[in-house]
Amino acid sequence: MQGLDDALRGVVGWIGENLLIDTVRITLPPTGEPVFNEDTGELEYPDGDVLYEGPGGVQGSSAQAEIVATPDRNLPWTSETTSRYRLFTPLSAPIAQKDAVVTVVGVHDTTRTGLIGRSWIVTDPGRAGTVEVVRITPLDQLRTEVTP
């Protein structure tokens, strides 16, 4: 349908200019064994390959229903939660695989530099539909420091 295709192109352009305004990096999970760093005394994992770095945005969910408790079988209480986030990237960006790491590497608003370096893990590949204007990828916030 020509009319629908024209309208969707307009929406894709608007989203690119108004939503995909920060810079995100998607890194594949590292595959090598950790190496002991004698200077720091810690094990360091090799960097994963960069799958994508470019325009994007991360949005957290404000719905309480989307925060799911994850019980630990060794504890009588819930120790962590699953924090639902969404990654927005252009349709031209590659589809991130499960367990890839998403990091914010640049922000459009200088008051939000605290987001730089913050990381999430891809919980499922990007969602797909018959009518799309932006790629949406489900994320969970990493609570341990990962440096892709």
Side-chain angles (χ1 to χ4, degrees):
M1 293 180 63
Q2 186 61 37
L4 178 59
D5 291 341
D6 291 340
L8 291 179
R9 271 192 291 280
V11 172
V12 168
W14 186 91
I15 287 174
E17 293 174 14
N18 295 285
L19 180 65
L20 306 177
I21 52 178
D22 294 320
T23 304
V24 297
R25 179 182 300 142
I26 302 172
T27 308
L28 299 176
T31 56
E33 293 294 319
V35 177
F36 182 72
N37 182 328
E38 293 184 17
D39 295 333
T40 64
E42 296 184 16
L43 289 175
E44 294 179 354
Y45 287 86
D47 293 337
D49 294 331
V50 175
L51 178 65
Y52 171 79
E53 184 168 330
V58 175
Q59 179 188 45
S61 172
S62 60
Q64 274 301 103
E66 291 196 34
I67 299 175
V68 180
T70 305
D72 185 317
R73 65 184 175 152
N74 295 325
L75 299 175
W77 62 87
T78 300
S79 60
E80 290 190 24
T81 59
T82 300
S83 304
R84 304 288 185 196
Y85 287 81
R86 293 183 242 7
L87 169 67
F88 297 105
T89 53
L91 295 173
S92 60
I95 296 173
Q97 70 183 40
K98 186 178 181 324
D99 298 328
V101 176
V102 173
T103 307
V104 175
V105 295
V107 292
H108 73 284
D109 183 348
T110 57
T111 64
R112 296 187 177 210
T113 56
L115 293 172
I116 295 175
R118 196 164 172 184
S119 296
W120 294 264
I121 191 165
V122 173
T123 57
D124 283 310
R127 297 179 180 161
T130 57
V131 178
E132 294 181 302
V133 293
V134 68
R135 175 161 291 120
I136 301 172
T137 304
L139 304 174
D140 183 18
Q141 182 173 302
L142 285 172
R143 284 173 271 309
T144 57
E145 188 173 320
V146 173
T147 308

